[in-house]
Amino acid sequence: MSSESINARIDVRLGSLTGEATPRNAIASIETGAVDARTFYLETFGCQMNDHDSEKVAGVLLGRGYRQVETPDAAGVVLYNTCSIREKAASKVFSRLGLFKDKASQEGRIIGVLGCVAQQEGEVIFERAPWVSLVCGSASYRQLPEMISRLEAGERRVTGLDKDVDETFETPVTRRNHPFRAYITIIEGCDKACTYCVVPFTRGPERSRTSASVLEEARRLAEDGYSEIQLLGQTVNSYADPSAARMSFSELLLAVADVPGMKRVRFTTSHPNDFGEDIVRAIETNPVLCDHVHLPVQSGSTKLLRAMKRTYTREEYIEKIALIRGASRAISITSDIIVGFPGETDEDFADTLSLLDVAQYDSAFSFTYSPRPNTAAKDMPDAIPEEEKVRRLAVLQERQREIQTLRNEKCVGREYEVMVDGLRKKDARWLGRTTTNQMIDFASPRTELLGQYLKVRVTRAGPGCMYGEEVVGQAG
Ligand code: SAH
Ligand code: SF4
Ligand code: F3S
């Protein structure tokens, strides 16, 4: 079994910037024939920041009179918004681009690569796939309309690879994928330097939006009927208001939660270093702020944390967990973990396993270490063999599964408010999400529940999901 197939998420909960290489809209072959030049197909890989960027890119194109289509066959402009976090994710785009190998499939089409692979590989993409005409990283999306105009005017190749921008990417129109939940990016890029990570290279330096523009967007969303907002950033809690208001991250959280009409406010991903007591106090103060913190640890060994440049020790991390667990309101905690980082001994790995016991995560995304271009860890000595990484990952996931099973079993018999996310057609069961970001698969005698808030009683629990039934007659 390949490491990536084991790298599947432990559970079905969404809500972390894990950068899974799961494509939204997969396609196996391209049919050729005449296409309408003013149509676009956009496929997105990677994390929620990419999902949200794609919503904005779609908004830009729709604003220019383009129509979105469901398959690349039907599109005049084919765009892949890519992820480069692990090797497997990055190679996906080249297999997609392979669909356009033959001349006929390229005819009359603009083919573009956006996102983190674009930023990382740059013009090399033109060499590997000469039929690509647009390569643009996220820091240059502001220039997208102009780039598209140049292509429309007949230019053969256009790039947007500047990373040193000091603006964030905002658009007048954002075509949101979800009718009730909306993303707001409050900080782009990353100024940390974790030695395994491509993000500082692919998304550029940190840029925060002004608190006023975040609040204005939140108010507009509430007026448009959005009741749940997720504030996004690779290190969301490193937010630094560039305006004179100088709002701290926790003040911004409280201000967004106070926007009339807002029912749930989430935020991800928090970096442990910048995670302070004020955030816990804010969650305690305002029930609109969801009782969930995604606080990736990466490793339970201080030696490895140092090699990863995570800037905290095991003990300091455990203190943050204690701070959150000590809150007057129960707050769920989730994490990301990397196994098989260079130099990881059996003892280091044992430290990570024991950290799981201490932290008692409600869920954890775990990955085998994947060496990435440009990163400091790429050529570090003492690489761990692939089979050993895969073995450790399986051990870790089993331990976490046991923890989740026990935690979830304790929820049986309890009632939770969920926001209804989806309906599974085959067995007519609904999927709802708790404020702690846990999925509950439930039955209801009612129809038309999407986007509603209602109470569900848990009747059964598994490691990744809980099962229940609607508590009829009690609106949430
Ligand atoms: N900004 C977030 C993480 C973004 S990337 C943070 O600091 O926590 C999402 C996750 O992918 C990371 O938390 C890490 O667990 C994993 N990851 C990043 N680079 C990786 C690599 N080279 N190999 C394996 N996993 C990696
Ligand atoms: Fe990557 Fe570290 Fe920045 Fe997260 S904090 S995006 S892991 S460099
Ligand atoms: Fe992937 Fe880029 Fe997000 S590398 S995880 S899409 S920031």
Side-chain angles (χ1 to χ4, degrees):
M1 194 171 354
S2 78
S3 62
E4 283 291 336
S5 62
I6 294 190
N7 273 353
R9 293 168 182 223
I10 282 187
D11 69 14
V12 294
R13 264 174 269 187
L14 302 175
S16 98
L17 293 176
T18 49
E20 289 298 292
T22 316
R24 272 63 91 188
N25 295 328
I27 179 97
S29 70
I30 297 292
E31 284 171 22
T32 54
V35 290
D36 175 355
R38 297 192 73 77
T39 50
F40 71 98
Y41 168 79
L42 175 57
E43 185 173 357
T44 309
F45 302 83
C47 64
Q48 289 152 315
M49 301 203 69
N50 256 19
D51 279 340
H52 187 38
D53 282 346
S54 282
E55 293 181 332
K56 293 191 254 182
V57 168
V60 166
L61 290 169
L62 292 167
R64 292 173 62 85
Y66 281 80
R67 187 165 53 81
Q68 188 161 13
V69 293
E70 292 296 309
T71 64
D73 291 19
V77 180
V78 176
L79 298 172
Y80 295 109
N81 189 5
T82 61
C83 173
S84 169
I85 202 79
R86 287 168 288 277
E87 170 61 30
K88 183 76 190 296
S91 57
K92 276 253 157 75
V93 62
F94 290 102
S95 66
R96 284 294 190 282
L97 291 173
L99 295 171
F100 298 93
K101 246 192 201 114
D102 69 281
K103 270 257 170 297
S105 65
Q106 299 160 21
E107 205 91 17
R109 280 197 174 98
I110 291 176
I111 299 169
V113 177
L114 310 179
C116 293
V117 176
Q119 190 69 57
Q120 183 185 288
E121 300 288 330
E123 300 189 0
V124 172
I125 294 175
F126 294 136
E127 284 162 34
R128 286 183 69 175
W131 50 91
V132 169
S133 48
L134 170 70
V135 171
C136 180
S138 67
S140 306
Y141 289 161
R142 287 182 71 87
Q143 278 94 52
L144 259 183
E146 184 231 319
M147 287 184 222
I148 290 168
S149 300
R150 283 164 53 195
L151 289 168
E152 285 169 346
E155 244 178 272
R156 172 74 189 89
R157 279 179 179 162
V158 177
T159 55
L161 296 169
D162 184 11
K163 275 189 302 183
D164 292 320
V165 287
D166 51 15
E167 286 171 298
T168 54
F169 172 49
E170 293 313 317
T171 52
V173 193
T174 298
R175 213 259 315 127
R176 299 196 181 261
N177 289 328
H178 196 284
F180 320 107
R181 176 181 316 120
Y183 294 130
I184 302 181
T185 302
I186 64 164
I187 172 169
E188 288 184 2
C190 180
D191 276 355
K192 306 277 192 256
C194 305
T195 55
Y196 51 82
C197 185
V198 291
V199 172
F201 306 97
T202 63
R203 286 190 167 263
E206 256 176 40
R207 286 100 66 207
S208 293
R209 278 172 72 182
T210 63
S211 49
S213 86
V214 172
L215 286 166
E216 193 210 288
E217 187 169 359
R219 280 188 213 107
R220 227 177 327 113
L221 286 165
E223 280 162 19
D224 288 347
Y226 290 91
S227 55
E228 178 173 322
I229 283 194
Q230 181 150 9
L231 304 178
L232 294 181
Q234 286 296 346
T235 53
V236 74
N237 57 329
S238 312
Y239 175 78
D241 186 357
S243 71
R246 291 275 176 263
M247 234 185 220
S248 70
F249 174 63
S250 58
E251 286 165 348
L252 182 67
L253 284 179
L254 288 167
V256 175
D258 273 343
V259 167
M262 211 50 78
K263 283 194 70 116
R264 291 183 175 185
V265 175
R266 303 183 183 281
F267 55 97
T268 201
T269 291
S270 296
H271 192 286
N273 226 45
D274 302 326
F275 193 89
E277 202 175 342
D278 57 327
I279 302 174
V280 177
R281 297 288 92 84
I283 297 174
E284 281 176 330
T285 314
N286 192 330
V288 171
L289 291 177
C290 285
D291 39 2
H292 170 217
V293 176
H294 185 62
L295 197 69
V297 68
Q298 313 300 357
S299 168
S301 149
T302 297
K303 183 193 100 194
L304 276 205
L305 289 170
R306 220 164 260 145
M308 292 174 166
K309 282 223 169 68
R310 282 296 284 185
T311 64
Y312 50 85
T313 62
R314 172 190 173 94
E315 290 68 33
E316 283 162 348
Y317 182 86
I318 289 173
E319 277 169 27
K320 306 278 175 175
I321 296 284
L323 192 67
I324 301 170
R325 293 278 180 235
S328 58
R329 191 175 157 207
I331 298 174
S332 88
I333 310 176
T334 56
S335 192
D336 294 347
I337 295 161
I338 298 175
V339 298
F341 188 79
E344 185 186 68
T345 60
D346 288 340
E347 292 72 45
D348 295 320
F349 180 58
D351 283 347
T352 299
L353 291 179
S354 73
L355 186 104
L356 293 185
D357 297 335
V358 176
Q360 291 288 309
Y361 293 124
D362 293 270
S363 90
F365 300 97
S366 44
F367 314 96
T368 54
Y369 167 69
S370 167
R372 307 301 298 129
N374 303 321
T375 60
K378 187 173 148 273
D379 299 313
M380 277 186 186
D382 304 321
I384 309 299
E386 208 51 41
E387 320 76 72
E388 179 58 14
K389 288 186 200 167
V390 171
R391 189 193 69 78
R392 288 182 192 177
L393 187 69
V395 171
L396 179 115
Q397 293 192 336
E398 185 48 38
R399 177 78 69 98
Q400 179 57 25
R401 197 182 301 271
E402 286 163 14
I403 292 169
Q404 283 177 212
T405 305
L406 288 176
R407 289 184 72 78
N408 289 351
E409 275 168 359
K410 288 197 189 123
C411 302
V412 174
R414 293 194 194 152
E415 290 177 8
Y416 293 90
E417 184 201 61
V418 297
M419 198 250 238
V420 184
D421 245 11
L423 170 68
R424 204 173 39 226
K425 290 229 171 74
K426 72 172 177 12
D427 55 4
R429 304 251 324 164
W430 296 93
L431 293 172
R433 203 179 288 268
T434 63
T435 51
T436 56
N437 213 28
Q438 179 120 12
M439 286 299 272
I440 307 188
D441 171 322
F442 69 98
S444 166
R446 300 195 290 152
T447 52
E448 304 293 327
L449 295 183
L450 280 183
Q452 288 194 30
Y453 292 82
L454 47 87
K455 278 240 165 72
V456 168
R457 183 180 303 111
V458 175
T459 52
R460 189 164 64 82
C465 189
M466 302 199 286
Y467 304 85
E469 57 204 19
E470 187 190 351
V471 181
V472 182
Q474 277 185 39

